[in-house]
Amino acid sequence: MADWELRAASTADLESIVEIRAVVMRADLERLGRYDGDRVRQRLRDAYQPAHTWAIEVAGALVGCVALRPAADAYWLEHFLLAPDLQGRGIGSAVLSGLLERPDREGALTRLNVLQGSAARRLYERHGFVTESEDEVDVFMVRTPAPRTP
């Protein structure tokens, strides 16, 4: 596994993250007949909340991000992006495990949505997410908090 770290994201990271998103999501969106590069970028610009987002770095380079946004009934795991050449090396799994510690401590649900047919769905399932509902584009998943050990 590559040497990686999480740091607080900032507004200065936004355009780099937007470009990573366009690359990461392209294949799945093209498969679904829904790729529009401008729209993919603008959706992240519109939703970006640096206060709830972490940048993923490898060797000091920004290679992805992830957000864990609190909501009334759960945390939302959003914008989990990792450069394609770093996927499958355990970085995403390690990042996800660390992030899920917070909702587990608080006894809170964690929700997310993933594109139909995305390989990321297997990662989420390995971490306890189950399908709650789905449509022709998205799969909505939820994870109950891991049991606390005394």
Side-chain angles (χ1 to χ4, degrees):
M1 177 171 71
D3 186 28
W4 62 274
E5 66 180 64
L6 283 182
R7 66 165 172 78
S10 71
T11 54
D13 295 319
L14 178 57
E15 289 308 311
S16 295
I17 293 169
V18 161
E19 292 309 314
I20 292 168
R21 183 175 198 262
V23 170
V24 168
M25 296 192 68
R26 184 174 192 134
D28 282 334
L29 287 169
E30 283 179 341
R31 180 179 39 76
L32 294 168
R34 299 183 64 91
Y35 184 77
D36 174 331
D38 292 334
R39 185 170 187 264
V40 139
R41 289 171 175 89
Q42 193 58 48
R43 283 186 62 145
L44 181 60
R45 288 181 188 115
D46 292 344
Y48 186 65
Q49 296 180 20
H52 303 297
T53 306
W54 289 266
I56 304 169
E57 292 186 338
V58 171
L62 179 63
V63 297
C65 74
V66 63
L68 188 64
R69 181 179 53 83
D73 67 337
Y75 282 92
W76 277 89
L77 183 73
E78 300 171 317
H79 316 301
F80 195 1
L81 307 166
L82 184 62
D85 61 320
L86 295 171
Q87 294 176 12
R89 297 183 183 188
I91 297 170
S93 187
V95 167
L96 186 55
S97 290
L99 283 179
L100 291 173
E101 289 176 7
R102 182 175 181 181
D104 284 352
R105 258 192 331 272
E106 296 176 15
L109 296 174
T110 307
R111 297 182 184 283
L112 62 82
N113 65 291
V114 62
L115 291 171
Q116 285 284 1
S118 172
R121 183 174 177 175
R122 289 188 303 277
L123 169 68
Y124 300 135
E125 289 170 341
R126 285 194 308 271
H127 286 268
F129 285 87
V130 296
T131 299
E132 191 170 42
S133 66
E134 55 188 289
D135 59 31
E136 65 279 352
V137 176
D138 291 305
V139 178
F140 296 89
M141 303 182 82
V142 64
R143 178 183 179 271
T144 58
R148 291 180 158 176
T149 53

Tab-separated table of all heavy atoms in Angstrom, residues 102-107 145-150:
chain	number	residue	atom	x	y	z
A	102	ARG	N	-16.173	7.420	13.684
A	102	ARG	CA	-16.996	8.483	14.284
A	102	ARG	C	-18.466	8.090	14.394
A	102	ARG	O	-19.043	8.151	15.495
A	102	ARG	CB	-16.825	9.775	13.502
A	102	ARG	CG	-17.612	10.916	14.102
A	102	ARG	CD	-17.335	12.208	13.404
A	102	ARG	NE	-18.088	13.286	14.010
A	102	ARG	CZ	-18.050	14.516	13.585
A	102	ARG	NH1	-17.288	14.845	12.559
A	102	ARG	NH2	-18.767	15.450	14.175
A	103	PRO	N	-19.139	7.710	13.293
A	103	PRO	CA	-20.535	7.294	13.468
A	103	PRO	C	-20.678	6.075	14.382
A	103	PRO	O	-21.672	5.971	15.117
A	103	PRO	CB	-21.022	6.992	12.049
A	103	PRO	CG	-19.894	7.248	11.127
A	103	PRO	CD	-18.739	7.742	11.897
A	104	ASP	N	-19.702	5.184	14.368
A	104	ASP	CA	-19.768	4.034	15.273
A	104	ASP	C	-19.747	4.496	16.727
A	104	ASP	O	-20.536	4.023	17.545
A	104	ASP	CB	-18.605	3.067	15.011
A	104	ASP	CG	-18.799	2.234	13.762
A	104	ASP	OD1	-19.896	2.275	13.148
A	104	ASP	OD2	-17.840	1.535	13.378
A	105	ARG	N	-18.846	5.403	17.063
A	105	ARG	CA	-18.759	5.937	18.428
A	105	ARG	C	-20.072	6.591	18.849
A	105	ARG	O	-20.480	6.503	19.999
A	105	ARG	CB	-17.657	7.001	18.508
A	105	ARG	CG	-16.374	6.567	19.113
A	105	ARG	CD	-15.421	7.709	19.441
A	105	ARG	NE	-15.503	8.897	18.612
A	105	ARG	CZ	-14.833	9.093	17.475
A	105	ARG	NH1	-14.032	8.173	17.011
A	105	ARG	NH2	-14.962	10.224	16.807
A	106	GLU	N	-20.704	7.276	17.900
A	106	GLU	CA	-21.928	8.014	18.199
A	106	GLU	C	-23.196	7.170	18.034
A	106	GLU	O	-24.298	7.660	18.284
A	106	GLU	CB	-22.003	9.251	17.301
A	106	GLU	CG	-20.876	10.223	17.568
A	106	GLU	CD	-20.877	11.417	16.634
A	106	GLU	OE1	-21.899	11.660	15.946
A	106	GLU	OE2	-19.852	12.106	16.580
A	107	GLY	N	-23.047	5.930	17.604
A	107	GLY	CA	-24.210	5.077	17.393
A	107	GLY	C	-25.089	5.561	16.249
A	107	GLY	O	-26.305	5.378	16.268
A	145	PRO	N	-24.307	1.311	12.852
A	145	PRO	CA	-23.029	1.395	13.554
A	145	PRO	C	-22.576	0.030	14.051
A	145	PRO	O	-23.396	-0.818	14.396
A	145	PRO	CB	-23.321	2.349	14.714
A	145	PRO	CG	-24.798	2.431	14.834
A	145	PRO	CD	-25.366	2.054	13.510
A	146	ALA	N	-21.271	-0.145	14.027
A	146	ALA	CA	-20.701	-1.396	14.552
A	146	ALA	C	-20.977	-1.471	16.046
A	146	ALA	O	-20.995	-0.445	16.744
A	146	ALA	CB	-19.202	-1.437	14.283
A	147	PRO	N	-21.204	-2.677	16.552
A	147	PRO	CA	-21.458	-2.816	17.987
A	147	PRO	C	-20.259	-2.327	18.803
A	147	PRO	O	-19.111	-2.511	18.415
A	147	PRO	CB	-21.659	-4.326	18.183
A	147	PRO	CG	-21.782	-4.914	16.830
A	147	PRO	CD	-21.212	-3.940	15.858
A	148	ARG	N	-20.598	-1.674	19.888
A	148	ARG	CA	-19.542	-1.193	20.792
A	148	ARG	C	-19.030	-2.344	21.637
A	148	ARG	O	-19.794	-3.173	22.082
A	148	ARG	CB	-20.074	-0.117	21.705
A	148	ARG	CG	-20.389	1.154	20.982
A	148	ARG	CD	-20.906	2.147	21.989
A	148	ARG	NE	-20.743	3.490	21.477
A	148	ARG	CZ	-21.175	4.548	22.088
A	148	ARG	NH1	-21.765	4.426	23.246
A	148	ARG	NH2	-21.012	5.724	21.561
A	149	THR	N	-17.731	-2.318	21.858
A	149	THR	CA	-17.157	-3.311	22.757
A	149	THR	C	-16.837	-2.607	24.081
A	149	THR	O	-16.338	-1.483	24.077
A	149	THR	CB	-15.874	-3.917	22.165
A	149	THR	OG1	-14.984	-2.865	21.802
A	149	THR	CG2	-16.184	-4.756	20.954
A	150	PRO	N	-17.165	-3.263	25.174
A	150	PRO	CA	-16.952	-2.617	26.495
A	150	PRO	C	-15.498	-2.397	26.819
A	150	PRO	O	-14.611	-2.891	26.304
A	150	PRO	CB	-17.586	-3.581	27.490
A	150	PRO	CG	-17.938	-4.809	26.762
A	150	PRO	CD	-17.739	-4.553	25.298
